[in-house]
Amino acid sequence: MNAKPLFNTTEPVIGIRAVHLDLKGLPPTPTRLIRLLDLFKLARYNAVLVEWEDTFPWKTDRRFRGETCYSEETIAAFHAHAAELGINVIPLVQCLGHMEIPLQIDDYAKLREVPDRTDGLNPLAPGAIDLVRSMIDDVLEPTTPTPRFFHIGGDEAMLFGTHPDTKAYIEEHGKAALYLKHIEPLLDHLIKKGIRPILWHDMMIEWPEEALTRLSAKADLMIWGYQETPYNTQGHYSIDVVKRMATAHGALWGAGAFKCGESGGDNLPPADEREANILGWVRAADEFKMKGVCATGWSRNSSSTPQYAPLDVCLDLILQTGIILHDGKPHSGGLEACAEALDAFGGERDSFKERRDAMAHFEATCNAAWEAVRGFRHYLANLEEDPTRCESGHAKPLLAGIKIHQNRIEKAGKELLSHFKGLVDDAWIERLVKSQAVAIAHEYEDLK
């Protein structure tokens, strides 16, 4: 019997269906990066939002390049293959928050909002706009054909307005005015090139309507939210926020997630939660006539936090998300049907399942180790808080058990490494493993 087709509708329910590549953690090898475009085509995505970060071969400053950054030839091949497949590339360069890549370098310390923090750019610092403009142009140079859209981030600027200069500016003019003072020259720069800018929405939630309307002439807003849906959250992407943005701005996108580190380190995203989230954005996109929906796939919460959830254990979710964005509902056969369909992606069904199982084993091993640490700390706290209880010999075997768990993590990590050969550089998988093993080792030493 033939397998049921992946797609049941001819016309997609969402016009622009973008998938996100967050390359600041566990970046695919050059060959795999280009090969993933074929999976995106199979899933009927017609755009890919690429957050290059330190994997880009920067010319603005070579110190922005990470140790396994892609070559110019790889970047060119990526764009050429995307064009062959009819997938539009939407580059993303941060412009305000999440600026660790340049700001961690001492020469750029004068551009920081807070002297000892590298995640926030001071929008009033001389040279701040020039730096971002140079980075935008750097990424645009190899992006062929010229992209229709360019995402400049602008989200989660947690330090915004904390520098004495920016604080004084906001007190006199307001937050929206400072944001626009920084952003508008960058928007104008892209518009002159015939490119429509995109910004994340979260910094504009409290803006007056006139500021939102002013921005609508120059940029689209991508409303993001990765837990639940706009219809059942009270957060920054609640349905009330979406309605207000739609009324005052209008040019909107939605952004859910096929993976986002739900607990700060989940390596196998919970499928039911991910599907519900994307379905919520499909509903909102229809109700508010959004231009498109982006399925984000985060590899770290920020540049300085641990890596999680490699792309190659999420191939079934990438497919299922693409089906939802196209048909408006998941495949009736669920993720198992999506995994089976990976035979059409270079016959990867079996290898994918093996990778997923290896990751599940690694994650379970790590969770068991942390549970052992928690149990031992609880045991010690009980002895401290209840002096009538004396240590009766349990501490030594409990402590030894933590060391055993550390060894198990390292063993599971070696198995994991073998399943990612050729997909992710060994160094990144090794760091994923060591970040867990070393943390448990520190707990063991602290508890001895």
Side-chain angles (χ1 to χ4, degrees), residues 79-395:
H79 288 106
H81 194 44
E84 289 171 1
L85 298 173
I87 296 174
N88 294 303
V89 175
I90 304 174
L92 191 156
V93 171
Q94 296 288 353
C95 69
L96 194 59
H98 296 295
M99 290 289 288
E100 293 91 345
I101 297 302
L103 295 185
Q104 66 185 337
I105 298 170
D106 288 343
D107 290 350
Y108 296 94
K110 60 181 182 283
L111 302 183
R112 297 171 185 167
E113 182 87 14
V114 174
D116 61 348
R117 291 278 297 273
T118 62
D119 51 335
L121 185 72
N122 177 353
L124 295 180
I129 291 176
D130 292 337
L131 170 63
V132 179
R133 186 186 292 115
S134 178
M135 293 174 72
I136 289 172
D137 286 346
D138 207 343
V139 168
L140 272 176
E141 183 181 347
T143 306
T144 56
T146 300
R148 291 174 58 197
F149 302 98
F150 196 110
H151 204 310
I152 60 170
D155 64 314
E156 295 187 320
M158 307 302 186
L159 306 175
F160 189 67
T162 55
H163 188 281
D165 293 344
T166 57
K167 183 178 181 181
Y169 192 97
I170 287 173
E171 288 174 351
E172 183 175 356
H173 304 286
K175 287 185 177 181
L178 177 59
Y179 192 97
L180 288 168
K181 180 180 176 64
H182 175 64
I183 292 292
E184 280 195 301
L186 302 171
L187 304 182
D188 292 339
H189 182 66
L190 286 165
I191 291 168
K192 286 178 182 177
K193 298 175 182 292
I195 301 169
R196 178 71 173 178
I198 302 173
L199 289 159
W200 299 116
H201 83 295
D202 55 287
M203 295 296 293
M204 299 97 167
I205 291 173
E206 298 178 355
W207 280 20
E209 288 191 10
E210 57 268 26
L212 288 170
T213 301
R214 173 178 165 183
L215 183 63
S216 68
K218 295 188 175 183
D220 292 353
L221 291 185
M222 189 173 280
I223 303 180
W224 61 273
Y226 311 135
Q227 308 301 329
E228 300 185 321
T229 79
Y231 297 92
N232 59 4
T233 182
Q234 299 302 311
H236 65 276
Y237 56 101
S238 70
I239 200 63
D240 290 338
V241 170
V242 178
K243 286 178 180 177
R244 183 169 181 270
M245 294 284 178
T247 300
H249 188 282
L252 304 181
W253 299 58
F258 66 85
K259 71 182 182 83
C260 65
E262 279 76 4
S263 64
D266 282 347
N267 292 301
L268 288 172
D272 290 347
E273 294 177 23
R274 297 294 97 237
E275 290 177 12
N277 175 250
I278 294 296
L279 284 165
W281 281 113
V282 168
R283 177 183 170 188
D286 177 64
E287 181 176 351
F288 297 100
K289 310 306 177 190
M290 294 180 178
K291 287 187 179 180
V293 172
C294 180
T296 62
W298 300 99
S299 61
R300 300 180 192 262
N301 289 340
S302 71
S303 293
S304 58
T305 56
Q307 307 172 105
Y308 55 74
L311 280 167
D312 270 296
V313 297
C314 301
L315 301 187
D316 52 352
L317 269 172
I318 291 173
L319 268 176
Q320 183 73 293
T321 303
I323 293 167
I324 294 171
L325 293 180
H326 187 277
D327 285 4
K329 59 183 179 181
H331 192 285
S332 60
L335 287 185
E336 185 59 32
C338 294
E340 295 296 317
L342 291 173
D343 269 342
F345 179 57
E348 288 201 18
R349 176 188 58 179
D350 293 341
S351 60
F352 164 72
K353 290 181 176 181
E354 290 169 0
R355 282 195 302 275
R356 187 181 58 191
D357 290 347
M359 182 58 75
H361 175 60
F362 175 74
E363 187 166 85
T365 303
C366 293
N367 289 340
W370 286 111
E371 183 62 21
V373 169
R374 187 196 68 81
F376 188 48
R377 287 195 177 277
H378 191 189
Y379 175 76
L380 295 179
N382 180 64
L383 294 179
E384 181 178 339
E385 295 302 319
D386 188 352
T388 64
R389 310 296 169 183
C390 62
E391 210 293 300
S392 58
H394 290 295

